[in-house]
Structures are given as structure tokens and as C-alpha cells.
Amino acid sequence: MTVTDTPTRTGAALQLRGLRRSFGSAVALDGLDLDVAPGELLALLGPSGCGKTTALRVLAGFERPDEGQVLLDGEDIVPVPANRRDTAMVFQSYSLFPHLTAADNVAFGLRMRKVRAAERRARAAELLELVGLAGHGDRFPHQLSGGQQQRVALARALALRPRLLLLDEPLSALDARVRVTLREEIRRLQLELGITTVFVTHDQEEALSMADRVAVMNGGRLEQCATPTELYERPATDFVAGFIGTMNRVPGRAVGDGLVEVLGARLPVEVLGARLPVEGPGGTGDVRVLLRPEALEVTAGGSARVTGTSFHGPTSRLRIILPDGTDVKADVPTHAAAGLTPGTDVSVRPQQRPVLLVSSAPTGGAA
């Protein structure tokens, strides 16, 4: 049976229940609860020190939690040694054996499990073809590019048909063009094989473009776990609102009846189950209004001023100082930005759509 003939698997169900892990006085995981559906690709995303790598190491068996359970298809695997878990991990640093060929690296785990030589060779060849390296089996790691080495590492992880695939920032050592190509390949393989995958990254673009859902962590806790679209458009906490993408915080005033006045416009307030510290629909008071750069419309002439521009292909980002001193960012079509050079006086208005609020905080700019 070839790799592509392998019956489609639904993947394993994974649950993290009350995981806690401390290193001295430093708390890495603070009661982490998380569910991963069978066959899902879940990204763990957050700032340095948020606990995402510790969580992955607990899943792999390299760290033992102080408390909590890791349930794989209902079985708690915390007591199971790393080498006996039905999991596989791909590391940032490739971790290939330099004295082994690509094929022998892929087949290494099979050799440790006493699989016959002929079957090992066939399996390695199939997997190298699957990851786009057919004909490279006799090359040593130093004869391969970084992207090719990471493909070998991925093939090696898949060789044992694990129920759970763990990816520890596997693309961070690669250049930008190779990263884009390889993340598309990883996603294609993950979907094709139906394997449950947990992917740690510090790169928001990778997380939002690859994952079915993204778990945003902060201080060892889960801030929000949702689809990329929901995270971006409906952040559940102030931290997520500022961490995912770019968010402007503009002073406004809640005027009651679920409306807020901001930048000369009156807009409806979107209340997310009181998850953000939002003034209630019937409340009033000073607030910060959360506005994405693409939600601001900029026209020449007015009391705001452009202070900088940056080119982003079809769009350009303008940095603008509002009359009250608030610094905001606005994304406009590049052709429209040609006349909005630094020093140009402009008007800034929000698009007519619901907005999120954060109550009574000092005015800031873009996060």
C-alpha cells in the first residue's frame, strides 16, 4: 500500500484539561483548557513567554505538567513516555542526522521499530515523493537547501503515521518565499492525510493563513480560540484586539441606544457577550473605539495630517495625526495614496459599520 493509498483518517481528538506548569516562580501554563477536533490544524499563537512552546512540549512528552490531563482520543497520555506516544514532532532546527541520507533520515523511526529494510526503503521513497523530494533520497542534509531539509523532517515525522503531528515553528529559519511555499505544502499534506496537527508559531500571517482555528495565549492562559476571521473581526478580549493585526484606538463617546460618536460619525456598537470591557448598549461615557486601518476613509483636506506612508502592494498605509494628537494608521488603495504624502492635511472618517469599544481608557494610537 502506498502513502496515497492509505485510507483516509479522521484524525485523533485532543483535549487539554487544566494544564499547569511552573518553572520556579515563573508560571508557563496557568490552567490551560483547549479542545482540538479530529483532523483539525490548530495554531498556538502569542508573544514570547506566553506558554505556547511549553504547551507543545507537554503534548510531545518532553515536559510533564504539574497538574492537568492531555487526552488523546479520551486516553490521558501524560504518564506515557515521549517515545511511546503516537505523536511526531517537527522542529524549527530540522534536527536531521548529518551522517544519514535523506531517505535514511525519513526511515530512521521505522528502523527503530524493526520494520523490514525493503519496507523502510519503499516508505521513505513514497514520503519523499509526497513532500516533493523524489530523487533526493541519496543526498545528505548538507547537500539540501533549508526548505528541502524541512521537507525531509516533515516526511520523517509522517513516516510512523502518528495520530498527532506537532510543529514547533518549523518555518522560522527559512526565507520569506520558501516559507510561503512550504506552509502551503504543509497545509496540503495535513488536509490530505487528515492528521490532527498543533502548530506553534510567533508569525501571525502563518497562523491566520494555515490554521482552521488559532488559539491566542497570554501569560499561560487562553485568551481566545477561534477561526482566523473571527479573531480578526470579533476579538473576545482587549489583548486579542491589539495583538491580532493592527488596531487603532480612537477616542469616542457612547451616546446611548447602542451608538457611539467617533470622528464625526455615529456608529452602532457591537457587544461581544461582555467579553470586551464595553459600555453597555444603553450606557454613555468616554470610550476608546477600536478601528482597523482598512475601516478608515481618508480624503484630502481637513484638520488631520499625514506623517508617513509605507507601500504594501495594492494598498499603502498612511500614518496620520488626528487633531487631538491621536496617532492612527489607515490603509488606502496605493493609487489613491499618491497625493497623500507626508505633510498633507486630510480628513479621516470611519466606514459605516458596527464597532467595538473599550471603556474609559486613555487615548492611544494604533496597536
Side-chain angles (χ1 to χ4, degrees):
M1 178 179 291
T2 66
V3 174
T4 52
D5 291 332
T6 302
T8 301
R9 299 177 59 181
T10 58
L14 175 67
Q15 292 90 35
L16 282 60
R17 293 289 179 262
L19 288 184
R20 297 184 183 276
R21 183 70 172 103
S22 297
F23 300 94
S25 60
V27 179
L29 296 176
D30 190 10
L32 180 63
D33 290 305
L34 195 59
D35 290 348
V36 186
E40 182 177 29
L41 193 157
L42 180 84
L44 298 180
L45 179 68
S48 297
C50 71
K52 58 186 184 294
T53 298
T54 300
L56 198 74
R57 290 178 60 82
V58 168
L59 293 178
F62 302 150
E63 295 283 352
R64 189 180 180 95
D66 301 323
E67 298 178 24
Q69 295 178 304
V70 176
L71 304 174
L72 193 61
D73 282 337
E75 176 192 359
D76 186 7
I77 61 173
V78 167
V80 180
N83 64 341
R84 298 186 61 187
R85 298 188 182 192
D86 196 0
T87 65
M89 192 161 179
V90 178
F91 298 91
Q92 174 182 346
S93 58
Y94 319 142
S95 300
L96 300 179
F97 298 110
H99 64 289
L100 298 180
T101 64
D104 288 339
N105 265 285
V106 174
F108 181 80
L110 298 172
R111 181 158 66 88
M112 293 297 99
R113 293 194 179 182
K114 311 297 184 184
V115 175
R116 292 178 303 170
E119 186 176 345
R120 294 200 308 265
R121 288 193 296 270
R123 177 81 174 152
E126 292 164 1
L127 282 163
L128 286 172
E129 182 176 0
L130 189 67
V131 298
L133 290 179
H136 290 68
D138 60 348
R139 298 188 185 183
F140 289 90
H142 73 272
Q143 297 173 311
L144 300 171
S145 68
Q148 290 172 330
Q149 290 183 59
Q150 197 59 291
R151 289 170 187 265
V152 174
L154 180 61
R156 181 178 60 184
L158 296 173
L160 297 176
R161 295 187 175 96
R163 287 190 292 163
L164 178 64
L165 178 63
L166 307 174
L167 305 176
D168 184 14
E169 302 204 38
L171 309 179
S172 61
L174 305 174
D175 65 60
R177 184 179 295 273
V178 175
R179 277 204 309 271
V180 171
T181 300
L182 198 51
R183 77 190 185 201
E184 293 173 351
E185 286 298 303
I186 289 174
R187 182 56 165 155
R188 177 186 64 81
L189 288 172
Q190 188 268 335
L191 289 171
E192 184 174 329
L193 298 175
I195 185 170
T196 305
T197 302
V198 178
F199 176 37
V200 161
T201 181
H202 66 277
D203 188 314
Q204 291 188 27
E205 184 178 346
E206 282 181 4
L208 298 177
S209 65
M210 290 179 63
D212 294 301
R213 289 186 302 148
V214 178
V216 180
M217 296 181 63
N218 182 34
R221 293 177 175 271
L222 181 67
E223 290 276 339
Q224 185 177 5
C225 185
T227 65
T229 299
E230 184 175 356
L231 280 179
Y232 190 82
E233 296 184 352
R234 298 174 60 83
T237 68
D238 193 18
F239 175 82
V240 176
F243 185 75
I244 298 295
T246 299
M247 185 72 81
N248 296 301
R249 287 169 163 78
V250 181
R253 184 167 183 80
V255 295
D257 297 325
L259 297 174
V260 62
E261 289 181 348
V262 57
L263 297 177
R266 182 169 286 201
L267 304 174
V269 174
E270 183 167 5
V271 179
L272 303 181
R275 289 176 290 174
L276 279 171
V278 174
E279 298 282 354
T284 61
D286 292 334
V287 293
R288 284 182 297 165
V289 182
L290 305 183
L291 295 167
R292 295 288 186 189
E294 65 272 17
L296 294 177
E297 299 175 349
V298 182
T299 55
S303 53
R305 177 162 294 184
V306 178
T307 61
T309 63
S310 56
F311 175 75
H312 296 277
T315 63
S316 290
R317 177 159 292 178
L318 307 181
R319 188 161 190 149
I320 299 170
I321 294 291
L322 300 179
D324 65 359
T326 302
D327 185 0
V328 298
K329 296 180 176 68
D331 290 344
V332 300
T334 292
H335 68 83
L340 302 177
T341 56
T344 303
D345 291 333
V346 294
S347 296
V348 180
R349 288 183 64 87
Q351 294 178 356
Q352 289 291 324
R353 62 187 190 186
V355 295
L356 302 176
L357 306 184
V358 179
S359 61
S360 60
T363 61

